[in-house]
Amino acid sequence: MQQYLSTLEKSWFELHQYYHFSEPQKMLNKLISAYSEKQRAYHTVQHLYECLTLLESIKPYLNDAHAVALALWFHDAVYDPKAKDNELKSAELFEQYLAADLSHQTVIKIKQWILATQKHAPTDELDLQFLLDIDLAILASSPARFVEYEQQIQQEYAWVDPEIYSVKRKEVLRHFYQTEPLYQTEYFQQSFEQRAKSNLKNIIQ
């Protein structure tokens, strides 16, 4: 985990320089603690690090890169594999932590973005399209990382009967495989789509 923390800290304090958080270190500590909870195997600081690292390379395409980064920081801040309201609770936690530090308009926007990571529905909002694509970029990772990702997800659902899990997981992956296009932005469609579909095909066959 240590290899991720310096990058995450740098990202967080860049946001602090822009937004001027009232308690930046305290909030950072709480978020790192949240992403390090024992029920997590995939939705961890590793996932957060991978999202924010990818964000760095696409900042020029975004209208409000700071808001996208902040949404990424909070999009899995609450994660219980047995719950169905993680995104809602993550959005509420974001508001609880930062409503006093941000404009009302920014709070509303980022809350809506966090909620959108639940269903990944198509949107015309460019920054949100990129946010959702970043969240699914893991599907286009290297074959070794993709295998690790699948193992991590399975670990988070270890409480589910293995046979039921296998069926349900393939349903989820088949849905991704059959979604045309899988990614919403042209950038991701050109750079990630083919690799993601190849990874998915190998699993669902």
Side-chain angles (χ1 to χ4, degrees):
M1 186 172 93
Q2 198 59 43
Q3 73 266 35
Y4 306 127
L5 292 181
S6 59
T7 299
L8 293 177
E9 192 168 309
K10 181 172 176 283
S11 163
W12 182 256
F13 281 96
E14 282 176 2
L15 289 175
H16 168 54
Q17 286 176 350
Y18 182 79
Y19 287 116
H20 307 293
F21 302 141
S22 52
E23 295 182 294
Q25 189 63 54
K26 184 178 177 182
M27 280 188 284
L28 173 63
N29 293 345
K30 284 185 174 182
L31 284 165
I32 295 298
S33 176
Y35 279 93
S36 306
E37 292 164 345
K38 66 181 187 302
Q39 77 277 13
R40 299 171 184 251
Y42 171 66
H43 296 85
T44 62
V45 290
Q46 181 187 16
H47 172 53
L48 184 58
Y49 165 85
E50 289 172 339
C51 287
L52 291 168
T53 301
L54 183 52
L55 173 65
E56 282 299 313
S57 64
I58 58 175
K59 276 184 176 179
Y61 299 97
L62 301 171
N63 297 312
D64 189 349
H66 294 100
V68 175
L70 203 47
L72 285 169
W73 266 98
F74 278 90
H75 81 289
D76 288 323
V78 175
Y79 183 73
D80 174 0
K82 297 182 180 180
K84 296 193 186 306
D85 60 353
N86 290 315
E87 291 80 8
L88 174 61
K89 287 190 172 174
S90 294
E92 289 173 347
L93 187 72
F94 159 73
E95 184 173 32
Q96 177 191 325
Y97 278 10
L98 289 175
D101 296 337
L102 307 174
S103 71
H104 179 66
Q105 187 179 2
T106 299
V107 171
I108 297 280
K109 177 171 74 172
I110 294 177
K111 272 186 74 179
Q112 288 174 339
W113 287 358
I114 294 169
L115 290 171
T117 63
Q118 180 175 25
K119 295 185 176 175
H120 281 259
T123 174
D124 294 328
E125 194 176 353
L126 181 71
D127 283 356
L128 179 54
Q129 288 178 337
F130 270 106
L131 171 68
L132 297 175
D133 283 356
I134 289 170
D135 193 29
L136 290 184
I138 186 67
L139 299 176
S141 57
S142 70
R145 176 66 183 110
F146 188 75
V147 168
E148 181 187 40
Y149 157 68
E150 280 300 298
Q151 291 169 344
Q152 290 170 337
I153 295 291
Q154 190 169 9
Q155 200 176 324
E156 290 182 343
Y157 286 88
W159 48 278
V160 177
D161 176 273
E163 287 186 19
I164 294 174
Y165 173 82
S166 179
V167 170
K168 294 293 184 184
R169 183 61 183 162
K170 282 192 175 178
E171 284 178 9
V172 170
L173 297 178
R174 192 171 289 111
H175 166 73
F176 285 136
Y177 181 71
Q178 291 172 346
T179 300
E180 291 291 344
L182 172 60
Y183 294 110
Q184 298 194 39
T185 62
E186 188 177 338
Y187 176 89
F188 271 82
Q189 287 164 14
Q190 290 179 353
S191 306
F192 289 76
E193 186 93 10
Q194 195 172 350
R195 204 160 63 232
K197 291 298 177 76
S198 176
N199 283 335
L200 291 164
K201 187 178 181 180
N202 288 338
I203 294 279
I204 63 175
Q205 279 180 335

